Every structure is written in structure tokens, then in C-alpha cells.
Amino acid sequence: MSVTLARELACARSRLFGLRGVTIEQGRILLGALEACPRWRERPGIGELRIFRSAAGHEVLLVPSTGRVQIRVAYVVPPIERFDAAAGVLVELARLGRAARRAG
Amino acid sequence: MSEAKRLLLEPHDLTFVEDVPYIYHCSHYNLFHDQTVDDVLGDTAGQQVRVRAAHAAFRQLLRAITQGASTPMERLSIAMGAFAAMGHGRVDLDVTAEGGSARTGHAHYGFCWAEKYGSRVSRTLPADAVAAGFVAAATEVAYELPAGAMQAVEETCVARREPECTFKVTRAATPVPLPPTVDRQAMEPFLGPSEGGMDEAWIGATADTLQEFVAAMEGDERGLMEGFGVFITRHLTNYYLETAYAAARQAPESALPIVESLLREAAHVCVFHTFGGILLSPEWESVAGRLSGEPEDIVRGCVAIARGLGFGRWAIRELGPDRLVLSTTSNYEAPYYAARFGKSDRPRCYFFQGAALAMMVLAHRVRWDGSAELTQSFYDDLFRGQGLGFRCEPTTCQTMGHDRTEVVVRRT
Amino acid sequence: MTSELLEQAVKDVAPLSAVLVTAMPDCLLYDSWVKEEGRWAPEEVASYFGDLVRSNREALKSLGSWSSTMQVTIESADALVVLREVNEHFVCGCIFDRSAPLGLVRLHVDRMLDRISAGLPQISPEEQPRAVRIIGFLRRYAPDPHAILMRVALRTGLSLEQLEAPEHLTPEQTQSLEDAAKQILGLQELHL
């Protein structure tokens, strides 16, 4: 996956990050990978939105039909460390996506 | 607030817990609203009006939702749970029938004030009139005390850079005079027949989906509720309207145009931050698809959002590049005003008026291609002075006895 | 728009992101050069720079450590900011990439200020009426600045028309305005 991490606006400082450049196909692969990964537990979304939450409290929101992905960093992470936390989530998503592609 | 106790008055898009009306508003609106009340009434009187309005409103709510509870502890537990579930913060109550104390690190108002303004300005007065009113009401309801028997004063506040918000709870020497509250039964006679408008099928379906989603939202471990990039509260309309109309009705005649302007401005703040935040969210994208950015899509999206947040069945009568006619027979403001004060000699649906104007500003003056960021400075630029580009004229208002509330927004 | 003066002054200063010249005591932007425009508003930043230098000057004076050559250096996560008083009428704020070595930055600042100060006009600013400065201060710092005149009108009983021409306010009205400003900003005193 070749994507960029962009800060999105939120009242709680620097908690939302969008992944730019995710295609619908990449989104579909990522969705499958998240569904299969026990570290990410799904919680109810709205419409077709899928929301996955990690034990650390980070969330990944995914809209399958458009490929939009948003990372919501857990509020317990201090504001100054939130970009790094989001980058950490991105690295994990990339790894999950690669593994899912390899698996077929 | 268990799910079973919530009621959506479906044909009117009004929401109730038991028969107590509530809506959703974000911290930007909440702070601006309180600030306006204090600007009009003065800091001390404004705070007193707000605490008493919250006291009365939460007393009404807590009496309704603790009906099945048999001990003070049970009732306190339900009260604390409800306050947190509404996004107002997790408050620890340590009270008896004689008084006590309460504390929280995350009262919605204080916490959000510190987040929004704390780095720029200082605050000398505490910010959590709502929490203070809640604390007094919860103590009364828990110990089955008469209305106004208890009072709570916020002694420290995170908005003043203190480590937490603390409240001292005491027996009132004489009962605190609380304002009356309005419930569903009192509102219903003032609701007109439900009316749809343009794009009704899409707006109705989208609003239904949004209603389900926001109904499922709960406060987090802090008792705060974050959604769509903003801090949201599930809040009591009796609080908003008692305080807003206290400001509007007590203001000197010469100041009334400014007061009304600021009450409408609060709606601009809400539409910009909350409606805008929803429109830019993945949640919205999953319900309505990618934003086209076309003005018609923004306006109809805003109308669906208003319904989804429980503001009433707003409907688009006309929509063109230069003109919007927005109407409703069930806006949350009018039935409250009519039940509480009777007929008005002037249009009093300030939120509806301000929101209609702000919707056209969002539709025509914001680029929705991903480059716009709904920041405070963008808001300041967009809504500053005469540069709005539109003006709003209320043509009919149910608070004046008309059968519907309608506004016309025109390009200037 | 950037003047020829700044275009020349910033030549060959590679790690520089922006230069803002603020006119004192009003803290208004006089001139600016920004490498990448559009990320922030120079007018807004310039006023904060002016206030920062003024606060710093007052703090150092109260410590008995003030000298006319003092400078403020701010090291943030992604920028290195150096603020210096060019003379009593102008403050210069230089924003560098965070990676630039501090010694090199100081050298660049000295050279740029030599060029800039030589080209700035000699002015004797008029002391503005206090009410005008209070309104200006509120517009910069108050919460919800777009609504500030309405808020002040409610708190003082003054009309919007009066507040739009603060230079005509009486001393009593100015005092009322100052009281409202202190309430709104949560301050005991206004140091303008």
C-alpha cells in the first residue's frame, strides 16, 4: 500500500488521521484483514461503515464503497505523541494488508 | 439512560427520554450559548440562571428515569450513569440528604472550554453550571427531597486550570426557586401536522439512519462523547430554552436585536462545526456517499442532520442558487416557548433562523473538495460581519400562533 | 505582498520559511515574506509576534535584565523562531526549518536584520486612543472574535455604532469597555 497519513480536523487535538490514496480494492483487502485479526475488534458502525478498535483504544474506520480509511488515535495518548501513534497504526495496517494479499 | 426509555416522536423527529425532551449539541454550540447568556445577564446572574435551569431540567429527567429504583444509592447510580451516557462527564457524587461533595476531571463544559480557549485566555469563573445543576438535582432525587432543597456550587474548575472540577453540595436555607419545565404532553398541542418537503424520501431515510446511530452513542470512560470530530452532548432542551429565552426576555429592548443576533449566531456555530463535521465524516460518507459539494446536496444533508439530531421535522419548501425556504411544524423551540410562555409578539425560533442561514453559507461558500478545514479561523472569516452573503427573514413562526415556522434565506 | 526590501533581505537564506515585520505598538503586519503561502495567515502571526516581544521586554525589565538587543528564540517541533526588535517601531520574526543549526540561524538573522533595518522607514507613530487599542486587543485575543463587538455591547450597554468608532468614547465609556474586556479575557489588568 502506498498511502499518506494526513491529520484531519477534530476538537480533541490531533486524534483523527485520514489515509490518502487508498483504493477501493486496497480498502477491501484491508477490511478482510481486519475482520480476520483478533487484535482488532469490530464495533457497530452506521450505514456501510465498519469500525474496528484495538486493545490500546485506537480505532480504524473504513468505508468499503469509497475506500476511505480514518484512524482515530486513543484519547489517552498525549497530543504530542498522536501522530506517532497514528503512524504506528498505519504500519500495522500495511503489514496486515500485505499478509492478506500474500494469503490470496 | 437505558435504550428502552427513549422515545422518538417519529412524525416530528423530536426525541424524548420518557417524556423529557432532549437533543444533540456539540461543545462549540454549548459554550457559545452559555457565553451569550452571561453576556446578556451578566456573569453572576447568568450563572445563576444557568445553574437553576440545569437543576430543574435534570430534576425532571432524573425523577423520570429513577422511577423503578428503591434506594438513594440506586438513584445516585442511575443519575451518574445517565450524566456520563449523555456525554456530560463522569461525576463522582459523595452526598447525603444533608449535602456533601462531587468531583469530576472531565465535566463537558469545563473540559471543552479548556480545550478550545484555554491556551489563549484565562477564565475566572467556573464553567460547569450544567454539572452544578445536575449535582443538586441528583441529590434531591436520590433522597426524595423537594425541588430546590439542595444547592451545588462549583468550587474548582478545569477551565480555570485547576486539576479537576469540584462541587460543594449544601441544603438551601430557603428553597432555590426553580423554573418550570416542559414535557412531551405540554409540547404536543403545539405541534402541527407533520409535513415533508423536497427530497423527502432521501432526507427521511438518511435522518432515520442517523437517529439510530446517535441513539447508540455513549459517553466514553471519561463520560465524554466524541463523534464526527466534535465533543457531543445529549442535552435537555429545557436547559437550552429556559436560558436562551431568559436572556431574550430579560434583555433591555435596545439590546434585543443584539441578543437575538447572538442566539442565531449560536446556530451558525452549531451548523458549521457539528453539521459540517458530520458532512466531512466517514460516518456520513457511509450513509450518503462521497460529498458531491453541490449546494443542493449540502442543504438537504443539513436538513437530514437536523432531523437526525432531534431538532424537529425541518423541510425544504424551495431551494435555488439564491434562495432557500425552510419550514417546520415541529421545531423543538416553538412548542417549548408556547407551552412555557404563551404567544409571542415576535418570531422566537432563533436556532431555526440561524441554522437556515448557516446552511446556505455552508452550501455556497465552503469548498467541499477536501481542501476546506472547518477551523475556528475559517469560521471567523466565513461568518464575520456583513460578509455572509445571505440574509434570513422569518416569515411565520409558531411561537406567534402561526401554523408553521418558516424562514426565507436570500442572497444579498 | 512582499516588498523588494524583504525579497533582497532573504536572498540565499536557505533554511528560512518566513520573515514577518510587525509594526509596534499596534502589532500590525508591516511586511512579510513566506516561502510556502497559504498555510497560515501572516497578519495573525505577526500580531502574536509583536505581543510576544512586548511581553518578553516587560518581563526582562521587571527582572532588570532588559537590553535593546534581546531576542526571543522558540524551538518548536518543526520550526525555529527568532524574534527581535529592529527598533522601537518594528519587530522582526524569522521562522526557520527546525533542522537548521542554531549558530547558522543567528548568523542569518544578524545579516538579514542589517539589511531590513536599513530599509525600514523612520516613523513616529501616533499614540492611539486607549479604547481603540482595547478593541484591537479584543479582536486579536477574545474567544469568538467575530462576535466581540456584540458581546461588548451587551456587557457595557454601548451601542455597536459607538464601539465601531472607539476613538470617540468618553473616559467613562472607555473604562466600561476596559472592564468588559477584562471580564471577557479573564484578566485582572490590561497591559496594552
Side-chain angles (χ1 to χ4, degrees):
Chain A
M1 245 199 285
S2 171
V3 297
T4 53
L5 191 62
R7 216 180 286 272
E8 293 185 356
L9 194 71
C11 292
R13 283 164 289 162
S14 306
R15 276 196 59 200
L16 305 188
F17 296 86
L19 298 194
R20 305 278 184 264
V22 180
T23 64
I24 293 174
E25 175 61 12
Q26 287 168 332
R28 192 188 59 74
I29 293 169
L30 183 58
L31 176 59
L34 285 166
E35 283 172 332
C37 179
R39 286 193 303 281
W40 290 88
R41 295 181 62 181
E42 186 160 13
R43 68 174 190 82
I46 175 177
E48 59 160 328
L49 180 70
R50 309 290 294 272
I51 306 176
F52 297 87
R53 190 180 170 92
S54 73
H58 307 312
E59 288 184 338
V60 174
L61 290 81
L62 200 150
V63 185
S65 67
T66 62
R68 178 168 177 184
V69 180
Q70 187 183 67
I71 295 170
R72 293 185 178 168
V73 174
Y75 68 81
V76 290
V77 177
I80 200 164
E81 294 168 20
R82 286 177 182 167
F83 185 88
D84 289 343
V89 173
L90 174 58
V91 168
E92 181 173 358
L93 295 182
R95 195 176 50 72
L96 286 173
R98 271 197 307 273
R101 265 204 314 274
R102 263 189 247 115
Chain B
M1 286 223 303
S2 72
E3 190 63 30
K5 288 176 176 166
R6 289 188 196 155
L7 168 71
L8 169 69
L9 200 54
E10 198 279 325
H12 299 294
D13 292 305
L14 296 171
T15 41
F16 299 86
V17 179
E18 299 291 358
D19 287 329
V20 178
Y22 73 91
I23 51 179
Y24 295 84
H25 266 308
C26 75
S27 60
H28 297 280
Y29 176 84
N30 288 340
L31 296 175
F32 196 92
H33 172 96
D34 277 18
Q35 175 180 286
T36 298
V37 173
D38 289 1
D39 284 340
V40 179
L41 302 176
D43 289 330
T44 307
Q47 191 177 40
Q48 186 180 70
V49 164
R50 290 187 290 112
V51 171
R52 288 179 182 178
H55 187 157
F58 275 103
R59 185 180 163 86
Q60 179 197 32
L61 172 75
L62 297 177
R63 277 165 61 86
I65 66 173
T66 55
Q67 286 296 319
S70 52
T71 67
M73 284 310 106
E74 276 180 76
R75 287 188 284 271
L76 285 175
S77 172
I78 291 170
M80 289 187 282
F83 200 63
M86 294 168 79
H88 285 290
R90 194 165 296 284
V91 176
D92 292 325
L93 290 166
D94 182 9
V95 290
T96 67
E98 297 309 313
S101 63
R103 61 202 302 158
T104 172
H106 297 96
H108 168 83
Y109 283 82
F111 179 83
C112 293
W113 194 95
E115 284 280 310
K116 182 171 184 177
Y117 301 125
S119 63
R120 293 174 59 197
V121 286
S122 304
R123 188 179 173 106
T124 51
L125 295 169
D128 298 291
V130 165
F134 161 78
V135 168
T139 311
E140 282 174 11
V141 171
Y143 294 99
E144 299 178 311
L145 300 171
M150 303 304 291
Q151 57 190 9
V153 176
E154 188 172 18
E155 294 189 313
T156 64
C157 180
V158 292
R160 293 195 306 206
R161 301 193 177 109
E162 288 160 332
E164 62 179 357
C165 300
T166 56
F167 303 84
K168 185 177 182 186
V169 189
T170 54
R171 277 266 194 178
T174 54
V176 178
L178 300 182
T181 52
V182 170
D183 62 10
R184 181 170 63 89
Q185 285 81 5
M187 289 167 69
E188 274 183 330
F190 302 103
L191 298 172
S194 174
E195 291 183 341
M198 292 168 64
D199 281 325
E200 184 55 38
W202 184 89
I203 289 172
T206 307
D208 289 348
T209 308
L210 200 56
Q211 277 162 1
E212 281 174 35
F213 182 73
V214 293
M217 288 172 72
E218 295 285 351
D220 58 25
E221 298 87 342
R222 301 167 295 177
L224 298 175
M225 196 150 67
E226 284 185 67
F228 317 113
V230 292
F231 288 103
I232 289 186
T233 50
R234 189 176 281 127
H235 211 331
L236 303 171
T237 52
N238 276 291
Y239 173 75
Y240 290 126
L241 298 175
E242 178 61 32
T243 50
Y245 290 132
R249 289 165 62 86
Q250 290 175 31
E253 188 67 27
S254 60
L256 191 54
I258 297 177
V259 178
E260 291 184 324
S261 187
L262 284 172
L263 291 172
R264 286 190 291 268
E265 173 95 27
H268 301 170
V269 169
C270 170
V271 168
F272 179 83
H273 289 289
T274 308
F275 288 34
I278 291 174
L279 289 171
L280 289 175
S281 70
E283 286 90 339
W284 184 258
E285 192 166 308
S286 75
V287 171
R290 257 192 219 284
L291 270 186
S292 71
E294 293 298 323
E296 296 77 15
D297 281 349
I298 300 301
V299 173
R300 70 177 189 158
C302 286
V303 171
I305 290 166
R307 292 187 186 187
L309 300 180
F311 295 162
R313 180 149 296 192
W314 297 9
I316 304 170
R317 321 283 343 158
E318 278 182 56
L319 178 60
D322 302 321
R323 182 179 157 95
L324 163 68
V325 180
L326 192 69
S327 81
T328 178
T329 55
S330 61
N331 186 43
Y332 73 92
E333 297 163 289
Y336 173 92
Y337 189 93
R340 173 82 170 84
F341 302 111
K343 205 164 161 181
S344 171
D345 58 356
R346 56 196 303 127
R348 296 279 193 179
C349 290
Y350 302 120
F351 186 86
F352 187 71
Q353 296 165 21
L357 177 73
M359 282 157 50
M360 282 295 266
V361 173
L362 277 200
H364 290 276
R365 298 190 54 215
V366 175
R367 291 174 61 186
W368 295 98
D369 58 2
S371 60
E373 282 207 323
L374 301 180
T375 59
Q376 188 61 38
S377 61
F378 185 37
Y379 177 88
D380 295 341
D381 288 343
L382 209 53
F383 287 91
R384 180 175 287 168
Q386 303 303 308
L388 282 170
F390 292 91
R391 67 187 164 87
C392 176
E393 185 189 338
T395 47
T396 61
C397 187
Q398 285 171 295
T399 61
M400 299 173 74
H402 299 135
D403 58 3
R404 69 166 59 81
T405 300
E406 189 169 278
V407 296
V408 179
V409 182
R410 291 188 181 86
R411 197 182 281 275
T412 53
Chain C
M1 210 168 78
T2 305
S3 68
E4 182 67 22
L5 169 69
L6 284 195
E7 291 284 6
Q8 291 300 322
V10 303
K11 251 186 183 171
D12 306 324
V13 186
L16 188 66
S17 303
V19 176
L20 308 179
V21 181
T22 303
M24 303 297 279
D26 300 329
C27 296
L28 297 173
L29 180 69
Y30 173 77
D31 198 358
S32 67
W33 174 88
V34 183
K35 189 189 274 181
E36 279 178 62
E37 287 194 9
R39 291 179 57 213
W40 39 268
E43 292 82 3
E44 200 174 308
V45 178
S47 69
Y48 286 118
F49 279 1
D51 285 322
L52 261 172
V53 168
R54 179 160 45 204
S55 304
N56 190 59
R57 183 205 302 142
E58 296 306 314
L60 290 177
K61 277 183 178 171
S62 65
L63 290 170
S65 304
W66 182 77
S67 80
S68 60
T69 56
M70 64 96 182
Q71 73 174 26
V72 180
T73 306
I74 303 166
E75 298 179 39
S76 79
D78 51 8
L80 187 61
V81 181
V82 179
L83 307 177
R84 196 166 312 162
E85 280 185 284
V86 182
N87 55 42
E88 62 181 307
H89 307 310
F90 293 102
V91 162
C92 188
C94 306
I95 305 170
F96 290 88
D97 292 344
R98 185 65 187 85
S99 55
L102 198 52
L104 185 68
V105 164
R106 286 191 180 124
L107 196 64
H108 281 312
V109 169
D110 286 343
R111 283 183 186 161
M112 280 195 295
L113 286 188
D114 283 346
R115 296 175 199 161
I116 290 170
S117 61
L120 287 174
Q122 298 297 313
I123 53 171
S124 46
E126 235 174 78
E127 178 77 356
Q128 286 187 313
R130 186 159 183 81
V132 174
R133 281 182 285 141
I134 294 170
I135 293 284
F137 196 74
L138 281 168
R139 285 189 195 279
R140 281 202 301 280
Y141 297 116
D144 307 305
H146 55 282
I148 195 59
L149 290 193
M150 286 194 281
R151 297 191 59 203
V152 171
L154 289 174
R155 284 178 176 266
T156 59
L158 296 169
S159 69
L160 290 177
E161 292 71 26
Q162 286 174 305
L163 292 170
E164 277 158 5
E167 63 277 14
H168 300 310
L169 294 183
T170 65
E172 291 75 24
Q173 290 169 332
T174 300
Q175 186 57 55
S176 169
L177 169 64
E178 183 154 352
D179 292 342
K182 286 191 286 191
Q183 288 166 2
I184 287 169
L185 296 166
L187 295 173
Q188 300 292 323
E189 295 296 332
L190 281 188
H191 295 290
L192 299 175

